[in-house]
Amino acid sequence: MKKLPTLHKKHFAKYSQVEMTQLVLPNDTNQLGNLLGGRLMEWMDIAAAIAAQRHSNRVCVTAAVDGLVFHNPIRLGEVVTLHASVNRAFGTSMEVGVKVISENQLVGDSKIANTAYLTFVAVDDHNVPVKIHPIIPQTKDEKRRFKQALIRRNSRLHRRKIVQN
Ligand SMILES: CC(C)(COP(=O)(O)OP(=O)(O)OC[C@H]1O[C@@H](n2cnc3c(N)ncnc32)[C@H](O)[C@@H]1OP(=O)(O)O)[C@@H](O)C(=O)NCCC(=O)NCCS
């Protein structure tokens, strides 16, 4: 039987990857037939949480969302594929990047609809943050995301400090 990604000993970035596909149904859209932003954010949160938990083997809670950009509207009947991957793990937190592709199957066209960075914290049964393994980037893209994740984390924590003060 194929091993689950969580059972791999090496913590390669690729083992955290998640691909989640949804069909946009009437209940997911506004009056204009466009996918609701909130519905897409829910799907992004779920895909990213699965990636974070796949890497950490822990329950992970959403601590922050940033860089959320809606590049293009997504229409009723389109197929949405969410790609999520842990970019970098820190002490107890990790940054997960999510990219959303929308696909119009009737014309055979697809485009990037949305991107975001979500920070998850691994917690124990008492919601106390727990240490996680560092992630190992391998490909050129993974190494770029790994490097840039630290810059984003610094500005995120800077913003947190300002808000707390
Ligand atoms: C996320 C949470 C567990 C952090 O707890 P905390 O007491 O603030 O813990 P700490 O200050 O020690 O931070 C823990 C980690 O979270 C990171 N973190 C906390 N807030 C953050 C933020 N706004 N942005 C980025 N990282 C953040 C810290 O940098 C730290 O990461 P590190 O160990 O990798 O350096 C806590 O704030 C919480 O439970 N929040 C609510 C989560 C929630 O309900 N989410 C929605 C449902 S899943």
Side-chain angles (χ1 to χ4, degrees), residues 45 60-64 90-94 119 121 123 127 129 153 156-157 160:
D45 188 44
C60 294
V61 296
T62 319
F90 302 99
T92 62
S93 70
M94 65 210 103
T119 300
V121 178
V123 295
N127 207 47
R153 168 183 160 91
R156 217 170 270 138
L157 294 183
R160 185 191 188 202

PDB file of all heavy atoms in Angstrom, residues 45 60-64 90-94 119 121 123 127 129 153 156-157 160, ligand 1:
ATOM      1  N   ASP A  45      -8.384  28.112   3.517  1.00  0.00           N
ATOM      2  CA  ASP A  45      -8.009  27.819   4.903  1.00  0.00           C
ATOM      3  C   ASP A  45      -7.916  26.308   5.113  1.00  0.00           C
ATOM      4  O   ASP A  45      -6.990  25.813   5.761  1.00  0.00           O
ATOM      5  CB  ASP A  45      -9.052  28.458   5.838  1.00  0.00           C
ATOM      6  CG  ASP A  45      -8.647  28.377   7.292  1.00  0.00           C
ATOM      7  OD1 ASP A  45      -7.472  28.639   7.597  1.00  0.00           O
ATOM      8  OD2 ASP A  45      -9.507  28.059   8.134  1.00  0.00           O
ATOM      9  N   CYS A  60      -3.293  22.110  13.714  1.00  0.00           N
ATOM     10  CA  CYS A  60      -2.756  23.443  13.421  1.00  0.00           C
ATOM     11  C   CYS A  60      -3.890  24.460  13.383  1.00  0.00           C
ATOM     12  O   CYS A  60      -4.949  24.188  12.798  1.00  0.00           O
ATOM     13  CB  CYS A  60      -2.049  23.431  12.074  1.00  0.00           C
ATOM     14  SG  CYS A  60      -0.578  22.403  12.087  1.00  0.00           S
ATOM     15  N   VAL A  61      -3.644  25.615  13.993  1.00  0.00           N
ATOM     16  CA  VAL A  61      -4.660  26.674  13.978  1.00  0.00           C
ATOM     17  C   VAL A  61      -4.162  27.845  13.137  1.00  0.00           C
ATOM     18  O   VAL A  61      -2.956  28.110  13.068  1.00  0.00           O
ATOM     19  CB  VAL A  61      -5.030  27.155  15.409  1.00  0.00           C
ATOM     20  CG1 VAL A  61      -5.673  26.031  16.195  1.00  0.00           C
ATOM     21  CG2 VAL A  61      -3.812  27.711  16.150  1.00  0.00           C
ATOM     22  N   THR A  62      -5.104  28.526  12.510  1.00  0.00           N
ATOM     23  CA  THR A  62      -4.757  29.679  11.678  1.00  0.00           C
ATOM     24  C   THR A  62      -4.404  30.854  12.575  1.00  0.00           C
ATOM     25  O   THR A  62      -5.220  31.256  13.411  1.00  0.00           O
ATOM     26  CB  THR A  62      -5.966  30.082  10.794  1.00  0.00           C
ATOM     27  OG1 THR A  62      -6.591  28.907  10.309  1.00  0.00           O
ATOM     28  CG2 THR A  62      -5.529  30.971   9.635  1.00  0.00           C
ATOM     29  N   ALA A  63      -3.207  31.411  12.406  1.00  0.00           N
ATOM     30  CA  ALA A  63      -2.797  32.559  13.225  1.00  0.00           C
ATOM     31  C   ALA A  63      -2.902  33.857  12.432  1.00  0.00           C
ATOM     32  O   ALA A  63      -3.203  34.907  12.992  1.00  0.00           O
ATOM     33  CB  ALA A  63      -1.369  32.365  13.715  1.00  0.00           C
ATOM     34  N   ALA A  64      -2.641  33.798  11.137  1.00  0.00           N
ATOM     35  CA  ALA A  64      -2.667  35.018  10.316  1.00  0.00           C
ATOM     36  C   ALA A  64      -2.862  34.663   8.848  1.00  0.00           C
ATOM     37  O   ALA A  64      -2.493  33.572   8.406  1.00  0.00           O
ATOM     38  CB  ALA A  64      -1.361  35.790  10.487  1.00  0.00           C
ATOM     39  N   PHE A  90       8.987  27.508  11.174  1.00  0.00           N
ATOM     40  CA  PHE A  90       9.847  28.276  12.086  1.00  0.00           C
ATOM     41  C   PHE A  90       9.918  27.506  13.409  1.00  0.00           C
ATOM     42  O   PHE A  90      10.249  26.326  13.384  1.00  0.00           O
ATOM     43  CB  PHE A  90       9.313  29.700  12.200  1.00  0.00           C
ATOM     44  CG  PHE A  90       9.246  30.383  10.846  1.00  0.00           C
ATOM     45  CD1 PHE A  90       8.048  30.460  10.141  1.00  0.00           C
ATOM     46  CD2 PHE A  90      10.398  30.897  10.256  1.00  0.00           C
ATOM     47  CE1 PHE A  90       7.994  31.044   8.892  1.00  0.00           C
ATOM     48  CE2 PHE A  90      10.344  31.482   8.998  1.00  0.00           C
ATOM     49  CZ  PHE A  90       9.138  31.551   8.318  1.00  0.00           C
ATOM     50  N   GLY A  91       9.589  28.180  14.549  1.00  0.00           N
ATOM     51  CA  GLY A  91       9.606  27.458  15.823  1.00  0.00           C
ATOM     52  C   GLY A  91       8.399  26.550  15.963  1.00  0.00           C
ATOM     53  O   GLY A  91       8.495  25.312  15.894  1.00  0.00           O
ATOM     54  N   THR A  92       7.253  27.202  16.129  1.00  0.00           N
ATOM     55  CA  THR A  92       5.996  26.451  16.245  1.00  0.00           C
ATOM     56  C   THR A  92       5.044  26.801  15.094  1.00  0.00           C
ATOM     57  O   THR A  92       3.979  26.204  14.973  1.00  0.00           O
ATOM     58  CB  THR A  92       5.280  26.793  17.576  1.00  0.00           C
ATOM     59  OG1 THR A  92       4.949  28.196  17.579  1.00  0.00           O
ATOM     60  CG2 THR A  92       6.156  26.491  18.772  1.00  0.00           C
ATOM     61  N   SER A  93       5.439  27.791  14.310  1.00  0.00           N
ATOM     62  CA  SER A  93       4.558  28.258  13.232  1.00  0.00           C
ATOM     63  C   SER A  93       5.142  27.909  11.866  1.00  0.00           C
ATOM     64  O   SER A  93       6.339  27.608  11.749  1.00  0.00           O
ATOM     65  CB  SER A  93       4.346  29.768  13.334  1.00  0.00           C
ATOM     66  OG  SER A  93       5.536  30.456  13.015  1.00  0.00           O
ATOM     67  N   MET A  94       4.288  27.992  10.873  1.00  0.00           N
ATOM     68  CA  MET A  94       4.761  27.767   9.504  1.00  0.00           C
ATOM     69  C   MET A  94       3.950  28.618   8.543  1.00  0.00           C
ATOM     70  O   MET A  94       2.780  28.911   8.805  1.00  0.00           O
ATOM     71  CB  MET A  94       4.718  26.283   9.135  1.00  0.00           C
ATOM     72  CG  MET A  94       3.357  25.669   9.083  1.00  0.00           C
ATOM     73  SD  MET A  94       3.370  23.901   9.491  1.00  0.00           S
ATOM     74  CE  MET A  94       2.753  23.975  11.178  1.00  0.00           C
ATOM     75  N   THR A 119      -0.489  31.713   7.929  1.00  0.00           N
ATOM     76  CA  THR A 119       0.409  31.250   8.986  1.00  0.00           C
ATOM     77  C   THR A 119      -0.376  30.345   9.920  1.00  0.00           C
ATOM     78  O   THR A 119      -1.442  30.723  10.418  1.00  0.00           O
ATOM     79  CB  THR A 119       0.968  32.443   9.789  1.00  0.00           C
ATOM     80  OG1 THR A 119       1.674  33.291   8.891  1.00  0.00           O
ATOM     81  CG2 THR A 119       1.907  31.963  10.892  1.00  0.00           C
ATOM     82  N   VAL A 121      -0.141  27.666  13.356  1.00  0.00           N
ATOM     83  CA  VAL A 121       0.636  27.299  14.538  1.00  0.00           C
ATOM     84  C   VAL A 121       0.224  25.891  14.956  1.00  0.00           C
ATOM     85  O   VAL A 121      -0.986  25.592  15.061  1.00  0.00           O
ATOM     86  CB  VAL A 121       0.394  28.303  15.691  1.00  0.00           C
ATOM     87  CG1 VAL A 121       1.169  27.891  16.937  1.00  0.00           C
ATOM     88  CG2 VAL A 121       0.800  29.708  15.258  1.00  0.00           C
ATOM     89  N   VAL A 123      -0.362  23.100  17.584  1.00  0.00           N
ATOM     90  CA  VAL A 123      -0.704  23.148  19.011  1.00  0.00           C
ATOM     91  C   VAL A 123      -0.947  21.751  19.574  1.00  0.00           C
ATOM     92  O   VAL A 123      -1.229  20.810  18.827  1.00  0.00           O
ATOM     93  CB  VAL A 123      -1.970  24.027  19.254  1.00  0.00           C
ATOM     94  CG1 VAL A 123      -1.716  25.475  18.893  1.00  0.00           C
ATOM     95  CG2 VAL A 123      -3.185  23.480  18.499  1.00  0.00           C
ATOM     96  N   ASN A 127      -4.139  23.567  23.281  1.00  0.00           N
ATOM     97  CA  ASN A 127      -3.980  24.757  22.437  1.00  0.00           C
ATOM     98  C   ASN A 127      -2.665  25.504  22.705  1.00  0.00           C
ATOM     99  O   ASN A 127      -2.541  26.691  22.425  1.00  0.00           O
ATOM    100  CB  ASN A 127      -5.175  25.710  22.616  1.00  0.00           C
ATOM    101  CG  ASN A 127      -5.409  26.554  21.375  1.00  0.00           C
ATOM    102  OD1 ASN A 127      -5.422  26.021  20.261  1.00  0.00           O
ATOM    103  ND2 ASN A 127      -5.553  27.857  21.538  1.00  0.00           N
ATOM    104  N   PRO A 129       1.185  26.146  21.776  1.00  0.00           N
ATOM    105  CA  PRO A 129       2.062  25.930  20.621  1.00  0.00           C
ATOM    106  C   PRO A 129       3.172  24.914  20.904  1.00  0.00           C
ATOM    107  O   PRO A 129       3.732  24.903  22.006  1.00  0.00           O
ATOM    108  CB  PRO A 129       2.644  27.327  20.376  1.00  0.00           C
ATOM    109  CG  PRO A 129       1.623  28.273  20.918  1.00  0.00           C
ATOM    110  CD  PRO A 129       1.058  27.581  22.128  1.00  0.00           C
ATOM    111  N   ARG A 153       7.653  36.751   7.126  1.00  0.00           N
ATOM    112  CA  ARG A 153       7.439  36.511   8.566  1.00  0.00           C
ATOM    113  C   ARG A 153       7.884  37.736   9.379  1.00  0.00           C
ATOM    114  O   ARG A 153       7.180  38.160  10.297  1.00  0.00           O
ATOM    115  CB  ARG A 153       8.229  35.279   9.010  1.00  0.00           C
ATOM    116  CG  ARG A 153       8.301  35.111  10.531  1.00  0.00           C
ATOM    117  CD  ARG A 153       9.164  33.907  10.850  1.00  0.00           C
ATOM    118  NE  ARG A 153       9.690  33.892  12.193  1.00  0.00           N
ATOM    119  CZ  ARG A 153       9.097  33.329  13.234  1.00  0.00           C
ATOM    120  NH1 ARG A 153       7.927  32.764  13.104  1.00  0.00           N
ATOM    121  NH2 ARG A 153       9.663  33.325  14.424  1.00  0.00           N
ATOM    122  N   ARG A 156       5.332  40.409   9.089  1.00  0.00           N
ATOM    123  CA  ARG A 156       4.136  39.948   9.802  1.00  0.00           C
ATOM    124  C   ARG A 156       4.283  40.161  11.314  1.00  0.00           C
ATOM    125  O   ARG A 156       3.403  40.709  11.967  1.00  0.00           O
ATOM    126  CB  ARG A 156       4.031  38.441   9.539  1.00  0.00           C
ATOM    127  CG  ARG A 156       2.672  37.906   9.374  1.00  0.00           C
ATOM    128  CD  ARG A 156       2.788  36.467   8.891  1.00  0.00           C
ATOM    129  NE  ARG A 156       2.825  36.331   7.462  1.00  0.00           N
ATOM    130  CZ  ARG A 156       3.631  35.497   6.783  1.00  0.00           C
ATOM    131  NH1 ARG A 156       4.503  34.730   7.412  1.00  0.00           N
ATOM    132  NH2 ARG A 156       3.566  35.432   5.477  1.00  0.00           N
ATOM    133  N   LEU A 157       5.449  39.757  11.840  1.00  0.00           N
ATOM    134  CA  LEU A 157       5.657  39.877  13.287  1.00  0.00           C
ATOM    135  C   LEU A 157       5.820  41.339  13.692  1.00  0.00           C
ATOM    136  O   LEU A 157       5.431  41.732  14.789  1.00  0.00           O
ATOM    137  CB  LEU A 157       6.858  39.030  13.731  1.00  0.00           C
ATOM    138  CG  LEU A 157       6.648  37.519  13.558  1.00  0.00           C
ATOM    139  CD1 LEU A 157       7.834  36.732  14.088  1.00  0.00           C
ATOM    140  CD2 LEU A 157       5.361  37.048  14.233  1.00  0.00           C
ATOM    141  N   ARG A 160       2.367  42.605  13.911  1.00  0.00           N
ATOM    142  CA  ARG A 160       1.735  42.070  15.127  1.00  0.00           C
ATOM    143  C   ARG A 160       2.130  42.923  16.340  1.00  0.00           C
ATOM    144  O   ARG A 160       1.307  43.246  17.183  1.00  0.00           O
ATOM    145  CB  ARG A 160       2.191  40.625  15.335  1.00  0.00           C
ATOM    146  CG  ARG A 160       1.509  39.944  16.506  1.00  0.00           C
ATOM    147  CD  ARG A 160       2.186  38.624  16.843  1.00  0.00           C
ATOM    148  NE  ARG A 160       1.431  37.878  17.828  1.00  0.00           N
ATOM    149  CZ  ARG A 160       1.937  36.935  18.608  1.00  0.00           C
ATOM    150  NH1 ARG A 160       3.215  36.613  18.507  1.00  0.00           N
ATOM    151  NH2 ARG A 160       1.201  36.311  19.491  1.00  0.00           N
TER     152      ARG A 160
HETATM  153  C1  LIG B   1      -2.122  31.109  17.276  1.00  0.00           C
HETATM  154  C2  LIG B   1      -1.979  31.033  18.792  1.00  0.00           C
HETATM  155  C3  LIG B   1      -2.016  29.549  19.226  1.00  0.00           C
HETATM  156  C4  LIG B   1      -0.621  31.630  19.159  1.00  0.00           C
HETATM  157  O1  LIG B   1      -0.543  31.618  20.543  1.00  0.00           O
HETATM  158  P1  LIG B   1       0.351  32.698  21.332  1.00  0.00           P
HETATM  159  O2  LIG B   1       0.086  32.569  22.765  1.00  0.00           O
HETATM  160  O3  LIG B   1       0.210  34.021  20.671  1.00  0.00           O
HETATM  161  O4  LIG B   1       1.759  32.085  21.125  1.00  0.00           O
HETATM  162  P2  LIG B   1       3.137  32.750  20.773  1.00  0.00           P
HETATM  163  O5  LIG B   1       3.171  34.233  20.939  1.00  0.00           O
HETATM  164  O6  LIG B   1       4.140  31.923  21.501  1.00  0.00           O
HETATM  165  O7  LIG B   1       3.264  32.448  19.206  1.00  0.00           O
HETATM  166  C5  LIG B   1       3.313  31.123  18.748  1.00  0.00           C
HETATM  167  C6  LIG B   1       3.740  31.173  17.316  1.00  0.00           C
HETATM  168  O8  LIG B   1       2.737  31.824  16.546  1.00  0.00           O
HETATM  169  C7  LIG B   1       3.323  32.866  15.783  1.00  0.00           C
HETATM  170  N1  LIG B   1       2.321  33.907  15.644  1.00  0.00           N
HETATM  171  C8  LIG B   1       1.424  34.309  16.546  1.00  0.00           C
HETATM  172  N2  LIG B   1       0.681  35.307  16.031  1.00  0.00           N
HETATM  173  C9  LIG B   1       1.121  35.532  14.788  1.00  0.00           C
HETATM  174  C10 LIG B   1       0.762  36.430  13.756  1.00  0.00           C
HETATM  175  N3  LIG B   1      -0.206  37.323  13.911  1.00  0.00           N
HETATM  176  N4  LIG B   1       1.441  36.370  12.595  1.00  0.00           N
HETATM  177  C11 LIG B   1       2.416  35.471  12.412  1.00  0.00           C
HETATM  178  N5  LIG B   1       2.809  34.579  13.361  1.00  0.00           N
HETATM  179  C12 LIG B   1       2.170  34.631  14.536  1.00  0.00           C
HETATM  180  C13 LIG B   1       4.533  33.295  16.612  1.00  0.00           C
HETATM  181  O9  LIG B   1       5.492  33.947  15.819  1.00  0.00           O
HETATM  182  C14 LIG B   1       5.025  31.956  17.093  1.00  0.00           C
HETATM  183  O10 LIG B   1       5.700  31.319  16.021  1.00  0.00           O
HETATM  184  P3  LIG B   1       7.192  30.679  16.179  1.00  0.00           P
HETATM  185  O11 LIG B   1       7.154  29.726  17.331  1.00  0.00           O
HETATM  186  O12 LIG B   1       7.378  29.943  14.893  1.00  0.00           O
HETATM  187  O13 LIG B   1       8.129  31.810  16.366  1.00  0.00           O
HETATM  188  C15 LIG B   1      -3.113  31.806  19.541  1.00  0.00           C
HETATM  189  O14 LIG B   1      -2.963  33.188  19.253  1.00  0.00           O
HETATM  190  C16 LIG B   1      -4.490  31.353  19.141  1.00  0.00           C
HETATM  191  O15 LIG B   1      -4.975  30.331  19.625  1.00  0.00           O
HETATM  192  N6  LIG B   1      -5.146  32.099  18.234  1.00  0.00           N
HETATM  193  C17 LIG B   1      -6.446  31.739  17.736  1.00  0.00           C
HETATM  194  C18 LIG B   1      -6.315  30.725  16.614  1.00  0.00           C
HETATM  195  C19 LIG B   1      -7.655  30.426  15.992  1.00  0.00           C
HETATM  196  O16 LIG B   1      -8.635  30.286  16.686  1.00  0.00           O
HETATM  197  N7  LIG B   1      -7.678  30.314  14.657  1.00  0.00           N
HETATM  198  C20 LIG B   1      -8.883  30.133  13.916  1.00  0.00           C
HETATM  199  C21 LIG B   1      -9.397  28.759  13.983  1.00  0.00           C
HETATM  200  S1  LIG B   1      -8.249  27.513  13.531  1.00  0.00           S
END
